[in-house]
Amino acid sequence: MSWSRHGGGGTERRGYHHGNLREALIEAAVSLIAAKGPAGFTIAEAARQAGVSPAAPYRHFRDADALLGEVALRGFERLEAALTRAWANGTPAPVPAFEAMGRAYLGFARDEPAYYAAMFEAHVPREAAPGLQSAGDRAFAVLREAAERLAAVAPKERRPPALMMALHVWSMAHGIASLFVRPDPSRRKLPMTAEELLEAGVLIYLQSLGLAGGG
Amino acid sequence: MSWSRHGGGGTERRGYHHGNLREALIEAAVSLIAAKGPAGFTIAEAARQAGVSPAAPYRHFRDADALLGEVALRGFERLEAALTRAWANGTPAPVPAFEAMGRAYLGFARDEPAYYAAMFEAHVPREAAPGLQSAGDRAFAVLREAAERLAAVAPKERRPPALMMALHVWSMAHGIASLFVRPDPSRRKLPMTAEELLEAGVLIYLQSLGLAGGG
DNA sequence: TGTACATCAGTGAACGCGCGTTCACTGATGTAC
DNA sequence: TGTACATCAGTGAACGCGCGTTCACTGATGTAC
């Protein structure tokens, strides 16, 4: 395999062929977005960071949107993995597992700002990368299935449509992430952590469905 | 007043002095952001649209952030007005007035996409325009005061901190606006309107606090 | 009412910059025989 | 094992473009007297 000779870094010697330029460009895009936001990313700069001429990226990506779309796609895959891990198939119990999933969403926004920005802030057309749309669908499906499991446990007369539950929780998590987690220069200060805010909100919401203790 | 001679449009004859360039640039920025998103806006293009040389805007704004900041500031003022109007001092009753405020938030996101983008998507530093931070504070204060009025009506043993209620509802409204109202090319389809989704979410939330008729 | 003057909003030409995109090319790779 | 050849990833030079920003300037405005 050619890229085994080229492995990780950027400064390393290489021949005429890069060997793994596609991956290197994606990595470069991620680090550029992390540093300067999605608007600060350009194909030319990504090429420079990959140590390659400005024309080279066009062998792999039609334009900037295609590259951004690939970053977004991988972001959705990572988010899906993180949510799946947190939900842990509803263990030890559905409600705490659901809460863990909420924390995972915020953790993703915090720890992977570049992916998050490509997914939700770059306004990449869904056709930009093949599979982008379905990767997004799969990430949301994790949340929806968890909501279905929860809904099944709820007292029948209070049970809302699981899809709606999923949308409510996603919206609250996403709103909190956008307003209080993403590094925005005009971000408002919170009197608690974003995680505490979300956890409280979800608990209040679930209580109403007969799913969480007391109050 | 000099600008009384120059009034509205752009194509109209004018002399050496524009007379109302500052306002014209803000209008141009709003229309550019509406058309191409915050990233598609440039000082040069705003100047062109105002019928003025590319150097002229620098008499009024230090840079693009200052102009965007001014747009964001006015956006917060408009949002504050819209929320205040919808809340209507809690009439006819706190819960429906609260719901109306939620609809007003979504309506603002839908009807004023340029302002919304400048406020929440352009990542303008809060120092970009004097008063920007406090305009944001005032808009949020409307929501917070409404939450306080609602909290006062809630049964004591279920009453959450009003600030937290405000943050929860703001987050859900903002999440729904970001995910389902803003024109995002990768936006997911909803099985209901954004307004219905938010209304249902807020009702479920308020039920839990003993504030809305039970399910 | 008239005039001189200070002020300052807007001009227009110019600059350097980085970007996206193209093109004919070059040289590394791997495969057919 | 060797050789000829097709493939195609990456080159590098070039282009036109629009942007931000500067500068000495010009001419409209309004105010002091």
Side-chain angles (χ1 to χ4, degrees):
Chain A
M1 260 183 185
S2 64
W3 56 265
S4 65
R5 288 192 279 113
H6 300 284
T11 52
E12 155 184 6
R13 269 282 149 271
R14 66 171 181 87
Y16 192 92
H17 288 93
H18 184 286
N20 202 18
L21 182 54
R22 188 181 161 84
E23 290 303 312
L25 288 170
I26 294 170
E27 278 177 38
V30 168
S31 90
L32 285 171
I33 297 167
K36 314 195 260 173
F41 148 81
T42 64
I43 290 216
E45 179 87 28
R48 209 170 300 129
Q49 191 154 319
V52 113
S53 87
Y58 293 90
R59 295 277 167 201
H60 300 275
F61 298 99
R62 208 166 50 78
D63 54 19
D65 265 356
L67 180 39
L68 271 181
E70 183 67 29
V71 173
L73 187 160
R74 296 185 178 206
F76 280 116
E77 290 173 345
R78 280 167 178 251
L79 177 60
E80 181 196 357
L83 295 181
T84 302
R85 210 178 310 123
W87 169 243
N89 206 25
T91 58
V95 171
F98 203 66
E99 295 283 1
M101 222 172 49
R103 285 193 298 275
Y105 194 95
L106 298 184
F108 181 83
R110 199 191 316 277
D111 301 339
E112 306 281 20
Y115 287 105
Y116 190 92
M119 294 154 71
F120 296 116
E121 297 171 6
H123 299 289
V124 176
R126 54 153 88 58
E127 321 81 49
L132 174 54
Q133 175 76 24
S134 67
D137 290 346
R138 282 195 304 279
F140 178 63
V142 178
L143 177 55
R144 217 183 81 228
E145 281 157 27
E148 263 153 25
R149 283 274 299 280
L150 263 192
V153 182
K156 218 188 203 151
E157 75 284 1
R158 294 178 164 189
R159 191 182 298 166
L163 174 56
M164 198 182 74
M165 273 183 66
L167 290 169
H168 281 147
V169 172
W170 185 24
S171 295
M172 191 181 289
H174 189 79
I176 291 175
S178 295
L179 292 170
F180 307 116
V181 175
R182 302 293 352 277
D184 186 317
S186 69
R187 192 169 86 188
R188 195 167 300 276
K189 282 279 297 178
L190 271 188
M192 63 200 90
T193 68
E195 276 79 359
E196 288 163 352
L197 180 63
L198 177 59
E199 176 153 355
V202 172
L203 273 181
I204 292 172
Y205 181 89
L206 293 182
Q207 262 174 36
S208 195
L209 309 179
L211 275 164
Chain B
M1 259 180 190
S2 64
W3 56 264
S4 64
R5 288 192 278 113
H6 301 284
T11 50
E12 156 186 7
R13 271 281 147 273
R14 66 171 182 85
Y16 192 94
H17 287 95
H18 183 285
N20 203 17
L21 182 53
R22 187 184 163 84
E23 290 304 311
L25 288 170
I26 293 170
E27 276 177 38
V30 168
S31 91
L32 286 171
I33 297 168
K36 313 195 264 173
F41 149 80
T42 64
I43 290 216
E45 180 87 28
R48 209 170 299 129
Q49 192 153 320
V52 113
S53 86
Y58 293 91
R59 295 275 169 203
H60 299 276
F61 298 100
R62 207 167 50 78
D63 56 19
D65 265 356
L67 180 40
L68 271 181
E70 183 66 29
V71 173
L73 187 160
R74 296 184 178 207
F76 280 116
E77 290 173 346
R78 281 165 177 251
L79 178 59
E80 181 197 355
L83 296 182
T84 301
R85 209 178 311 123
W87 169 242
N89 206 25
T91 58
V95 170
F98 203 66
E99 296 283 1
M101 221 171 51
R103 285 193 298 276
Y105 194 96
L106 298 184
F108 181 83
R110 199 189 318 275
D111 300 338
E112 305 281 22
Y115 287 106
Y116 190 92
M119 291 154 70
F120 295 118
E121 297 171 5
H123 299 289
V124 177
R126 55 154 87 55
E127 321 81 49
L132 174 55
Q133 173 74 24
S134 66
D137 291 346
R138 280 196 305 277
F140 178 63
V142 178
L143 178 55
R144 217 184 80 230
E145 281 157 25
E148 263 154 24
R149 284 274 297 280
L150 264 192
V153 183
K156 216 184 201 154
E157 75 284 2
R158 292 177 164 190
R159 189 180 301 165
L163 174 58
M164 197 183 74
M165 274 182 65
L167 291 169
H168 283 149
V169 172
W170 185 24
S171 295
M172 191 181 288
H174 189 79
I176 290 175
S178 297
L179 292 171
F180 307 116
V181 175
R182 301 293 353 273
D184 187 317
S186 69
R187 191 168 88 187
R188 194 168 301 275
K189 282 277 298 176
L190 271 188
M192 63 200 91
T193 68
E195 277 78 0
E196 288 163 351
L197 180 63
L198 177 59
E199 176 153 355
V202 171
L203 273 180
I204 293 173
Y205 181 89
L206 292 182
Q207 262 173 37
S208 196
L209 310 178
L211 274 164

